[in-house]
Amino acid sequence: MAVKKIAILTSGGDSQGMNAAVRAVVRSGLYHGLEVYGIQRGYHGLLNDDIFSMDLRSVGDIIQRGGTILQSARCKEFMTPEGQERGADILRKHGIDGLVVIGGDGSYQGANKLSKLGINTMALPGTIDNDIAFTDYTIGFDTAVSIVVDAVNKLRDTMSSHERSSIVEVMGRHCGDIALHAGLASGAETILVPEMPHDMDEITERMKQNFAHGKRHSIVLVAEGVGSGEEVAKALTDRCPTLEPRVTVLGHIQRGGTPTPADRNLASRLGDFAVRMLIEGESDKACGIIKGELVLTDIDKVVNTKKEFNRELYELASRLSQ
């Protein structure tokens, strides 16, 4: 057996399903006879030696809860070689030889550094943005999309009553997947994502034509990486004041709430997979899911690869929005 004591931490922005992943790691570890420890507040907690033993009761009744019971925090000190050395020393002091990290790109890089210092590591994709390469979906993405779709459904009711346009700003600084998937699922008339160029003159003209042909409302979904909802609203108003767009910024509400069954199941599968791979002697790997199959990829490769944007899905959404 490659590991005997493992720890788990959540780092970076929280996402729905992190608790389900923590639960899976703890229960799978205990099932396989390992000692399991939790680390509070990510790498910040690691450097503060905020480490505690976990048992079955530690993860009871958490699979349905959003957020993370282990909490999360940013840690500039851990970005330094000295901080990384100290983190590895603290893990060794506790006899911990395996670490499961749940988070995004920065969290993955931390796991990568620790692996080079002799700690066996596994990284799980915990981020609503779905911006991690070599996995079709990240933990929390499905729930975030569901939240956006629900909000758009409600906005359609009030916008159609007043015959107005609605600009909905969603998260996605570098990746437009939330806007794309939520836009397709909610029938948004326009989807703006950082991966694809757009023409505000063309968008304005299409919206004008839609209203001229009797359409009572129009939904424009904007990923924050394109610009703010207010900036998009101003660009539309400058071109056609009668559109009267109203802006809704969903913000951190996209990270909260009960995880969907899809996110709970994904987190459970990935958490158990990470433990089994550590036991088999794997390290410095990112766990993902591609076409329904669990896969391992070198963390170095993941953090240095930009996730490919699904142009086919974007083109489908464009065709169906006409």
Side-chain angles (χ1 to χ4, degrees), residues 144-159:
V145 169
S146 298
I147 289 169
V148 174
V149 171
D150 182 61
V152 171
N153 290 342
K154 292 179 171 66
L155 285 166
R156 276 197 186 278
D157 293 340
T158 182
M159 290 299 112

Side-chain angles (χ1 to χ4, degrees), residues 32-69:
H32 289 288
L34 306 180
E35 290 183 45
V36 184
Y37 294 82
I39 301 173
Q40 292 286 149
R41 301 176 188 85
Y43 294 116
H44 178 77
L46 171 58
L47 296 186
N48 287 331
D49 204 355
D50 198 352
I51 300 174
F52 64 99
S53 177
M54 299 187 78
D55 56 23
L56 291 176
R57 286 181 296 176
S58 304
V59 292
D61 196 31
I62 69 167
I63 194 171
Q64 79 284 3
R65 292 169 56 185
T68 164
I69 63 166

Side-chain angles (χ1 to χ4, degrees), residues 98-111:
L99 177 68
V100 178
V101 173
I102 308 172
D105 184 73
S107 306
Y108 275 41
Q109 293 185 43

Side-chain angles (χ1 to χ4, degrees), residues 12-142:
D14 64 312
S15 65
Q16 308 93 326
M18 278 186 166
N19 281 328
V22 171
R23 173 182 180 271
V25 170
V26 171
R27 295 198 169 194
S28 182
L30 294 173
Y31 175 84
H32 289 288
L34 306 180
E35 290 183 45
V36 184
Y37 294 82
I39 301 173
Q40 292 286 149
R41 301 176 188 85
Y43 294 116
H44 178 77
L46 171 58
L47 296 186
N48 287 331
D49 204 355
D50 198 352
I51 300 174
F52 64 99
S53 177
M54 299 187 78
D55 56 23
L56 291 176
R57 286 181 296 176
S58 304
V59 292
D61 196 31
I62 69 167
I63 194 171
Q64 79 284 3
R65 292 169 56 185
T68 164
I69 63 166
L70 294 179
Q71 300 175 295
S72 186
R74 310 286 182 183
C75 184
K76 290 185 178 180
E77 184 182 353
F78 192 75
M79 297 178 184
T80 67
E82 295 77 16
Q84 294 152 12
E85 287 274 8
R86 188 157 147 251
D89 288 342
I90 289 171
L91 290 170
R92 280 190 283 266
K93 181 186 75 173
H94 288 273
I96 294 168
D97 44 18
L99 177 68
V100 178
V101 173
I102 308 172
D105 184 73
S107 306
Y108 275 41
Q109 293 185 43
N112 178 246
K113 298 297 184 183
L114 287 172
S115 74
K116 292 177 174 14
L117 295 171
I119 305 297
N120 299 298
T121 60
M122 285 285 153
L124 304 188
T127 168
I128 67 169
D129 289 336
N130 206 39
D131 59 351
I132 302 295
F134 300 101
T135 184
D136 289 339
Y137 300 108
T138 58
I139 298 167
F141 172 67
D142 186 71

Side-chain angles (χ1 to χ4, degrees), residues 58-309:
S58 304
V59 292
D61 196 31
I62 69 167
I63 194 171
Q64 79 284 3
R65 292 169 56 185
T68 164
I69 63 166
L70 294 179
Q71 300 175 295
S72 186
R74 310 286 182 183
C75 184
K76 290 185 178 180
E77 184 182 353
F78 192 75
M79 297 178 184
T80 67
E82 295 77 16
Q84 294 152 12
E85 287 274 8
R86 188 157 147 251
D89 288 342
I90 289 171
L91 290 170
R92 280 190 283 266
K93 181 186 75 173
H94 288 273
I96 294 168
D97 44 18
L99 177 68
V100 178
V101 173
I102 308 172
D105 184 73
S107 306
Y108 275 41
Q109 293 185 43
N112 178 246
K113 298 297 184 183
L114 287 172
S115 74
K116 292 177 174 14
L117 295 171
I119 305 297
N120 299 298
T121 60
M122 285 285 153
L124 304 188
T127 168
I128 67 169
D129 289 336
N130 206 39
D131 59 351
I132 302 295
F134 300 101
T135 184
D136 289 339
Y137 300 108
T138 58
I139 298 167
F141 172 67
D142 186 71
T143 307
V145 169
S146 298
I147 289 169
V148 174
V149 171
D150 182 61
V152 171
N153 290 342
K154 292 179 171 66
L155 285 166
R156 276 197 186 278
D157 293 340
T158 182
M159 290 299 112
S160 62
S161 297
H162 295 276
E163 297 185 284
R164 287 184 181 138
S165 304
S166 184
I167 314 296
V168 184
E169 180 188 323
V170 301
M171 287 185 171
R173 189 168 291 112
H174 305 293
C175 176
D177 274 17
I178 292 177
L180 173 59
H181 286 252
L184 177 61
S186 62
E189 284 71 25
T190 302
I191 302 170
L192 303 182
V193 296
E195 295 90 344
M196 300 295 292
H198 63 274
D199 184 333
M200 289 306 301
D201 291 329
E202 188 274 332
I203 292 168
T204 305
E205 187 59 33
R206 188 170 75 246
M207 291 173 69
K208 286 167 60 179
Q209 291 297 321
N210 285 341
F211 278 100
H213 293 146
K215 194 172 183 66
R216 298 172 63 191
H217 61 269
S218 186
I219 301 289
V220 180
L221 220 52
V222 184
E224 62 182 332
V226 173
S228 71
E230 291 291 347
E231 289 170 339
V232 173
K234 183 179 185 305
L236 290 172
T237 302
D238 288 346
R239 289 165 173 79
C240 182
T242 58
L243 288 176
E244 294 188 291
R246 297 294 186 268
V247 178
T248 300
V249 181
L250 296 183
H252 285 80
I253 193 173
Q254 293 162 88
R255 285 189 186 169
T258 300
T260 61
D263 271 328
R264 299 185 204 188
N265 291 340
L266 174 62
S268 297
R269 291 184 68 189
L270 289 173
D272 172 73
F273 184 56
V275 172
R276 289 188 289 110
M277 293 303 97
L278 282 173
I279 291 172
E280 290 183 14
E282 296 284 358
S283 179
D284 197 22
K285 294 291 193 295
C287 301
I289 187 165
I290 297 177
K291 296 181 180 179
E293 297 295 324
L294 297 172
V295 297
L296 284 183
T297 309
D298 290 342
I299 293 178
D300 267 329
K301 188 175 182 180
V302 174
V303 298
N304 287 297
T305 303
K306 181 174 173 57
K307 187 167 187 175
E308 185 175 348
F309 183 69

